Amino acid sequence: MKGIEGKNVLVTGGSSGIGQAIAIRMAEEGANVAINYVGGSAGAMMTEEAIEHAVHMCMKEIEHHGRHTTLVGADVSKEAEVERMFADTVADLGGVDILVNNAGIQVAAPSHELALADLEKVLNVNLVGAFLCARAAIRHFLAENKPGSIINVSSVHEVIPKPRFVGYSLSKGGMENLTKTLALEYAGMGIRVNAIGPGATITPINRAWVDDPVKREMVEAHIPMGRAGEAWEMGAAAAFLASDDAAYVTGQTLFVDGGLTLYPDFRESWSSE
C-alpha cells in the first residue's frame, strides 16, 4: 500500500492477537514498528513471561522483513507512562508517523453487580488510554509540522450492545466519538483519525470459544458470512486506513465483521405484508 514504507508506527497492546497482526502487517508494508506492551496485566490474560515471549516473537517476525523494531513497555492508562513511551519511541525510531490504539481489556459481570473499580479500569485502558496516546501523537505531529494517521481499534460493540460487558461497550461507544471528534478537529492540519471495528476474531484471548466446537458454532451462527475473522484481516484493514490509499478518509469506522453489524436476524424478511 502507498505511503507506509519507511514510516514509523507505534502499536499499543502489540503483544498478541490483533495488535500483533497489525504490527506485522505494517512491517510487511515497509514500516518501522514500536511494539507497546504491559507485563503482568491482568487484562492481558497472560503471564508476564508469556507476554514477553509473544512480543519477542512479533519482533522476530517483523525483523524478518528487514525493518527496525523497538519495545516500549507502558500502561496506557497512566499519563506519565504514555509520555515516556512516546519519548522513547521518538528517540529510538526518530519519530512517529502512525499510531495504532489497540490496547484494550474487558471485564465480564452483570451490570448491577459490576464494581466501580472494574468499570473504571476498563474505561481507563480502553478510552482514556486511547485519548492519552492520541493526544501525544497529535502533539508530536503538530510540533514536527507533519501529517499523521491514527487508527483506533474499536469493535462492533461501539454500535451493538454487549450485555455483561457494559464497561467494554461504553469504552467502544466513546471511542467512536473520540475518532470522529479528533478527525474533525485536526483534518485541516493533515492528521487523519479512523477506526476499525473488528467482529468475532480468532485470537489467543478468544481460545475459549475458538477451540470449543459448540461455542464456536454459537458465535459463528450470528455472522452472515458464517465464519469468524482472522487477525491478519484486521491488520490489512488497519494498514489500508493508515496508508495513502485512504488519504481522503477520516472520521470513519471500518467494520471488519463478516456482516455482523448488518442486523443478521433480518436475513429472512419478517413483515406484515
Side-chain angles (χ1 to χ4, degrees), residues 15-261:
S15 62
S16 67
I18 291 173
Q20 186 180 86
I22 292 173
I24 292 171
R25 180 56 186 261
M26 293 296 186
E28 289 174 348
E29 296 290 340
N32 304 308
V33 184
I35 305 166
N36 158 258
Y37 73 107
V38 54
S41 169
M45 298 181 68
M46 299 169 70
T47 65
E48 184 171 0
E49 292 78 11
I51 292 173
E52 291 177 352
H53 174 73
V55 170
H56 285 287
M57 290 301 293
C58 183
M59 287 185 69
K60 184 177 180 181
E61 177 69 20
I62 290 172
E63 288 168 352
H64 172 71
H65 300 284
R67 308 306 168 192
H68 181 62
T69 62
T70 186
L71 290 180
V72 280
D75 180 342
V76 299
S77 70
K78 293 180 168 55
E79 184 175 22
E81 294 194 27
V82 169
E83 295 300 317
R84 175 182 52 76
M85 174 180 69
F86 266 84
D88 290 347
T89 301
V90 170
D92 201 337
L93 298 184
V96 174
D97 302 293
I98 299 165
L99 165 69
V100 180
N101 273 320
N102 172 74
I105 63 172
Q106 60 183 12
V107 174
S111 295
H112 69 283
E113 296 177 0
L114 182 65
L116 177 59
D118 286 333
L119 177 70
E120 291 175 336
K121 180 168 63 175
V122 173
L123 292 177
N124 284 339
V125 172
N126 296 10
L127 186 55
V128 175
F131 164 73
L132 290 174
C133 292
R135 186 183 68 178
I138 290 168
R139 286 174 173 174
H140 175 69
F141 299 152
L142 295 177
E144 296 292 318
N145 192 29
K146 67 179 183 180
S149 177
I150 297 173
I151 308 299
N152 294 322
V153 179
S154 186
S155 166
V156 293
H157 295 294
E158 73 173 43
V159 294
I160 299 176
K162 190 175 185 181
R164 297 185 67 251
F165 293 86
V166 67
Y168 187 80
S169 294
L170 280 170
S171 70
K172 296 307 182 180
M175 182 172 274
E176 177 188 23
N177 209 299
L178 175 68
T179 300
K180 292 179 181 297
T181 299
L182 295 179
L184 180 60
E185 188 170 355
Y186 295 99
M189 300 163 195
I191 299 170
R192 297 187 302 110
V193 186
N194 291 291
I196 63 169
T201 307
I202 298 174
T203 63
I205 201 172
N206 291 324
R207 295 255 63 105
W209 63 262
V210 170
D211 295 334
D212 184 320
V214 174
K215 290 181 180 179
R216 182 163 180 167
E217 183 178 359
M218 290 173 62
V219 170
E220 294 182 334
H222 295 284
I223 303 171
M225 289 184 70
R227 67 171 179 87
E230 299 280 353
W232 71 264
E233 293 175 302
M234 310 306 150
F240 164 70
L241 288 175
S243 75
D244 288 349
D245 289 334
Y248 202 51
V249 180
T250 195
Q252 305 303 309
T253 297
L254 173 58
F255 290 107
V256 191
D257 64 356
L260 190 59
T261 50

